[in-house]
């Protein structure tokens, strides 16, 4: 029995770099079970998937977009003192697929979380340019150069709220659902400075999330321990992992 059918669901998609591909499988399973997503939010990788879905991209279309991702096409080296890479190409990718849109043009309510690296404030992004917001939310500190937006210096929302549930509380929904992609364990030794920075950031995220998910009615947490968060060749397997875990949860409700 599917207790989510005919319920209005708000979906918060957490960050996790390439692990974010699992969100596609989550949405695919929800749709197959007739679950209506009435609002969506995202942090970091979750912001990418959330923005595409909120602007009407189908699961198949999002999968195609993600399968064509390559790090070399999503980032570029920079001489900035604030980071190793620029993520401007992520913003360009969003514009290419949905256009240069604003939040008010989304088909369903959309929000993202970023962090003001000047003072540590959580910043809810739900107005203005969607592409700029995605760039800010995906800006892993130390790796990507922070994004200047509305007078703020913004980095990845995972610093303050990796599963962005708080910005969905105002929505008129029955179920608040979050997707947690952060593995409990890592088994792979870092191979370079990017791995070291990313792992350090992820350990911070793991500590914070324990206090952030208490407001969720349902947390979907696929076991992604065997996956490398920066390896693009795993995308299809990640989608399947998200799909299978969501099916399992729905059928046991």
């Amino acid at each position: 029995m599917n207790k989510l059918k005919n319920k209005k669901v708000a979906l918060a998609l957490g960050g996790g770099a390439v692990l974010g591909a699992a969100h596609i499988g989550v949405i695919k399973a929800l749709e197959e079970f007739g679950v209506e997503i009435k609002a969506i939010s995202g942090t970091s990788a979750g912001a990418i998937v959330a923005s595409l879905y909120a602007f009407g991209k189908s699961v198949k279309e999002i999968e195609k977009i993600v399968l064509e991702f390559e790090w070399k096409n999503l980032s570029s080296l920079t001489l900035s003192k604030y980071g190793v890479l620029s993520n401007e190409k992520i913003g360009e990718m969003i514009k290419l697929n949905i256009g240069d849109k604003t939040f008010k043009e989304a088909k369903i309510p959309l929000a993202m979380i970023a962090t003001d690296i000047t003072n540590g404030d959580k910043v809810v992004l739900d107005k203005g340019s969607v592409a700029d917001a995605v760039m800010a939310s995906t800006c892993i500190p130390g790796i990507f150069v922070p994004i200047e937006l509305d007078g703020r210096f913004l980095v990845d929302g995972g610093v303050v709220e990796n599963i962005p549930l708080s910005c969905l509380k105002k929505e008129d929904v029955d179920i608040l659902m979050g997707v947690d992609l952060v593995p409990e364990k890592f088994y792979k030794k870092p191979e370079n400075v990017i791995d070291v920075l990313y792992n350090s950031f992820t350990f911070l995220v793991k500590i914070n999330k324990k206090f952030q998910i208490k407001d969720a009615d349902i947390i979907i947490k696929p076991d992604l321990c065997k996956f490398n968060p920066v390896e693009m060749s795993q995308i299809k397997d990640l989608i399947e992992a998200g799909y299978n875990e969501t099916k399992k949860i729905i059928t046991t409700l």
Side-chain angles (χ1 to χ4, degrees):
M1 183 177 178
N2 175 15
K3 292 185 179 180
L4 294 180
K5 195 166 185 179
N6 300 320
K7 298 287 187 181
K8 294 182 290 184
V9 173
L11 182 64
L13 304 181
V18 173
L19 304 182
H23 290 315
I24 302 169
V26 171
I27 294 172
K28 180 181 178 181
L30 291 174
E31 288 188 345
E32 286 186 4
F33 278 86
V35 177
E36 186 177 9
I37 300 171
K38 299 294 290 184
I40 194 165
S41 64
T43 294
S44 200
I48 295 175
V49 177
S51 64
L52 295 171
Y53 189 77
F55 277 86
K57 291 295 182 183
S58 68
V59 168
K60 285 187 177 181
E61 288 174 317
I62 299 173
E63 181 174 350
K64 183 176 184 294
I65 293 166
V66 171
L67 284 169
E68 292 173 354
F69 279 3
E70 291 185 35
W71 281 119
K72 65 182 180 181
N73 294 330
L74 290 179
S75 61
S76 57
L77 287 172
T78 177
L79 298 177
S80 172
K81 62 184 178 181
Y82 293 115
V84 180
L85 302 172
S86 165
N87 71 346
E88 288 182 1
K89 291 184 178 180
I90 292 178
E92 292 172 6
M93 179 272 294
I94 294 296
K95 290 179 182 178
L96 177 66
N97 286 285
I98 67 170
D100 190 5
K101 302 291 188 179
T102 60
F103 279 85
K104 67 180 180 181
E105 297 175 88
K107 296 182 184 298
I108 60 174
L110 169 67
M112 301 170 203
I113 297 289
T115 305
D116 188 327
I117 200 62
T118 301
N119 55 23
D121 284 352
K122 176 172 67 179
V123 180
V124 177
L125 301 171
D126 57 6
K127 296 179 178 64
S129 167
V130 172
D132 287 350
V134 172
M135 287 172 58
S137 188
T138 58
C139 192
I140 301 171
I143 296 178
F144 292 120
V145 178
I147 303 299
E148 292 191 61
L149 194 60
D150 296 330
R152 290 181 178 267
F153 212 38
L154 301 180
V155 299
D156 195 302
V159 175
V160 289
E161 189 176 6
N162 198 51
I163 306 171
L165 293 156
S166 65
C167 55
L168 294 174
K169 289 180 182 179
K170 67 180 186 293
E171 302 296 338
D172 179 22
V173 295
D174 303 310
I175 302 289
L176 195 57
M177 180 184 295
V179 184
D180 179 7
L181 302 181
V182 179
E184 294 307 314
K185 296 180 181 179
F186 286 102
Y187 296 104
K188 181 175 177 291
K189 180 182 178 181
E191 295 180 354
N192 52 51
V193 66
I194 300 296
D195 285 350
V196 170
L197 289 168
Y198 181 78
N199 283 8
S200 300
F201 171 68
T202 302
F203 298 148
L204 169 66
V205 167
K206 285 172 64 177
I207 293 170
N208 290 340
K209 74 175 182 181
K210 295 177 182 178
F211 305 100
Q212 297 165 354
I213 62 175
K214 63 182 184 300
D215 293 320
D217 298 300
I218 299 171
I219 289 290
I220 296 173
K221 183 175 176 56
D223 183 1
L224 304 180
C225 290
K226 68 179 182 180
F227 294 99
N228 183 327
V230 297
E231 178 54 59
M232 306 295 284
S233 65
Q234 311 162 111
I235 285 176
K236 285 191 175 182
D237 290 336
L238 284 162
I239 293 172
E240 184 178 4
Y243 175 79
N244 289 337
E245 180 64 18
T246 305
K247 279 184 65 176
K248 183 174 75 174
I249 288 177
I250 292 175
T251 54
T252 55
L253 288 175

